[in-house]
Amino acid sequence: MKKLYIIIALSVMSVLTLKAQDYSTILTAGDSPQANMLNPGYMTNSSFVGIPLFSNLAFKVTNSFSLNDIVKNKKIILSNIPDDSHVNLGLNLDVINFGVKFKEKNLITVSTSVKADVDIMYPTGIFNFIQDNSITQSNSYDVNFKSAATVWGEVALGYTRVIDDNWSVGGKVKHLVGVVGGSSNKTNLQIDKTSIDSYTIKSDIDVLIGGYDINGGDFYYDDIINNRGWAFDIGVHYKSNDNRWSAGFSVLDIGYIKWNTGSQIKSVDSNKSYVFSGFEDLETVLDGGDMTSAVDDLIDSITTVLEFDTTSVKFKKMVPTTIHLGGRYDIDENGRHSVSGNFLAKISNGSLYDYSTTVGYTYSSKSKNFRFMGSLINRKYDPISLGLGILGESNGFQFYMMSETSMAGLVNLANTQNFGFRLGLNILIGKNKYKSKG
């Protein structure tokens, strides 16, 4: 069982990359407290209290290819899988979220959140290896990963200040607590087929895992508080004198987590070769085979081949940083029709690894108590997604819901590469007071 835990943890951690939460669709809604999360320089129109657990509940999944791209008549077509394939996953859950606005020009925000942001990378080589044709007597597969992952909780304290009629600035300080995470310095496998159902594997593996005991096979739930760090947000926001133009720039999550409970996994000998018999083709799963058994066979095959050396270590890793630039324009003087544009760049380990561009349209009712939002989103792994949402306000209560999916998925669900959902419930305090003052 010890080897099983090791290979499961290694398989998960070696394909996970940090991914910051994407809030860009929030800004197409106009005024909402959650816009301050994307840009701490954004001044809300009122004090607010988010309904616990539902003030900003969000998740999304983006894949490099759709199901229809690779499955034809229950057969997997590997030629349609991109060489650099990813599945992006994001989850955000706000436990507490409130802001207090005072003297009209000041806002203090407090929030506690749980976040899970990952990017699963699976090289084409692993699919070729799994689906290897047993008749062929010579093949070579490269399975190389460079990755990291994190699940964490945070407590954030923010301050926003109106400088003059046009400008406002803000910042947040966040105390981070790591639940589980890690990174791979090297996760390389060279798999050579030497004969029918016989392979030689050379491994060069160096993986760090935080919050998980590789040797005992347990999470360090009792010692989570030992995995701590800090992060900062900064932002600036501009609005024109007639309030029809607005723009903002922000940098989020400049910081790190220090993992005091962790393990390091290495190949016992990076120059050693291993030989084993191949495993059953996973296409049988598409014909009604047992997925659990197929995965167990895969894990058992690998665990009989690879040997690992694990040691307890402490390490520090930066959390992913998000850079945001966006703007909004009211087409008419009453603000019934608005357009917006936003760009997000996400940086991990000093390099750009993801981005999204959003253009949106918002229609507001005459009373501004109801808004309908539509947006087109271009992501690194999904050319065009359609986003739709509604926002309603009544007697100090605000509700919004937004969803997005691949345009191709609207015609056929199996063509979907991207899906996201966001829900928010807020209580607004003193909005009419500030609104009456312009």
Side-chain angles (χ1 to χ4, degrees), residues 119-182:
D119 180 37
I120 303 174
M121 183 185 76
Y122 38 97
T124 306
I126 192 64
F127 287 110
N128 293 329
F129 177 46
I130 291 172
Q131 202 186 27
D132 182 41
N133 184 346
S134 59
I135 298 177
T136 304
Q137 296 189 23
S138 62
N139 269 320
S140 181
Y141 310 100
D142 291 318
V143 182
N144 302 314
F145 302 100
K146 286 183 84 172
S147 52
T150 278
V151 178
W152 76 97
E154 69 177 36
V155 179
L157 175 64
Y159 175 68
T160 304
R161 168 72 178 182
V162 174
I163 303 300
D164 55 31
D165 291 339
N166 304 111
W167 295 92
S168 59
V169 297
K172 291 184 181 181
V173 58
K174 301 177 178 180
H175 184 220
L176 311 181
V177 177
V179 179
V180 63

Side-chain angles (χ1 to χ4, degrees), residues 230-345:
W230 297 92
F232 303 91
D233 298 348
I234 56 173
V236 58
H237 189 262
Y238 169 85
K239 64 178 181 179
S240 61
N241 290 329
D242 59 4
N243 290 328
R244 292 181 65 177
W245 280 97
S246 63
F249 174 79
S250 62
V251 183
L252 310 180
D253 295 321
I254 309 169
Y256 66 91
I257 294 176
K258 183 177 181 181
W259 298 92
N260 291 307
T261 55
S263 302
Q264 184 175 28
I265 306 174
K266 285 189 175 182
S267 304
V268 173
D269 186 345
S270 60
N271 295 316
K272 185 177 180 181
S273 297
Y274 309 83
V275 179
F276 73 103
S277 297
F279 40 83
E280 185 179 2
D281 192 336
L282 288 185
E283 271 192 3
T284 56
V285 174
L286 297 175
D287 293 321
D290 185 359
M291 172 64 82
T292 302
S293 297
V295 174
D296 287 344
D297 289 343
L298 171 60
I299 293 175
D300 290 342
S301 298
I302 297 178
T303 54
T304 58
V305 173
L306 300 180
E307 298 177 9
F308 303 108
D309 181 24
T310 63
T311 56
S312 297
V313 296
K314 298 179 180 180
F315 62 96
K316 181 188 294 185
K317 295 298 293 185
M318 300 293 290
V319 294
T321 299
T322 300
I323 299 175
H324 169 257
L325 177 65
R328 177 184 171 91
Y329 175 68
D330 292 340
I331 298 175
D332 62 305
E333 295 181 356
N334 296 322
R336 298 281 302 277
H337 304 273
S338 303
V339 292
S340 60
N342 299 280
F343 176 77
L344 281 172

Side-chain angles (χ1 to χ4, degrees), residues 23-32 35 327-328 338-342 358-364 371-377 387-389 391 402:
Y23 291 113
S24 61
T25 54
I26 284 182
L27 293 188
T28 62
D31 180 56
S32 67
R328 177 184 171 91
S338 303
V339 292
S340 60
N342 299 280
T358 303
V359 291
Y361 165 78
T362 301
Y363 169 80
S364 301
R371 300 169 197 165
F372 170 80
M373 293 82 68
S375 59
L376 293 176
I377 306 136
L388 297 174
L391 183 147
M402 303 178 185

Side-chain angles (χ1 to χ4, degrees), residues 63-82:
N63 193 26
S64 300
F65 53 87
S66 69
L67 183 62
N68 270 348
D69 288 335
I70 63 170
V71 179
K72 305 292 183 183
N73 298 320
K74 294 187 177 181
K75 297 295 182 180
I76 299 177
I77 311 300
L78 293 175
S79 59
N80 291 335
I81 299 178

Side-chain angles (χ1 to χ4, degrees), residues 65-124:
F65 53 87
S66 69
L67 183 62
N68 270 348
D69 288 335
I70 63 170
V71 179
K72 305 292 183 183
N73 298 320
K74 294 187 177 181
K75 297 295 182 180
I76 299 177
I77 311 300
L78 293 175
S79 59
N80 291 335
I81 299 178
D83 290 335
D84 183 16
S85 297
H86 292 251
V87 169
N88 298 329
L89 310 171
L91 173 67
N92 185 90
L93 177 65
D94 286 354
V95 181
I96 298 173
N97 183 21
F98 67 89
V100 179
K101 189 173 181 178
F102 59 97
K103 294 185 179 179
E104 194 171 349
K105 294 185 176 183
N106 303 275
L107 174 69
I108 293 178
T109 59
V110 177
S111 65
T112 60
S113 306
V114 178
K115 298 182 178 181
D117 296 285
V118 301
D119 180 37
I120 303 174
M121 183 185 76
Y122 38 97
T124 306

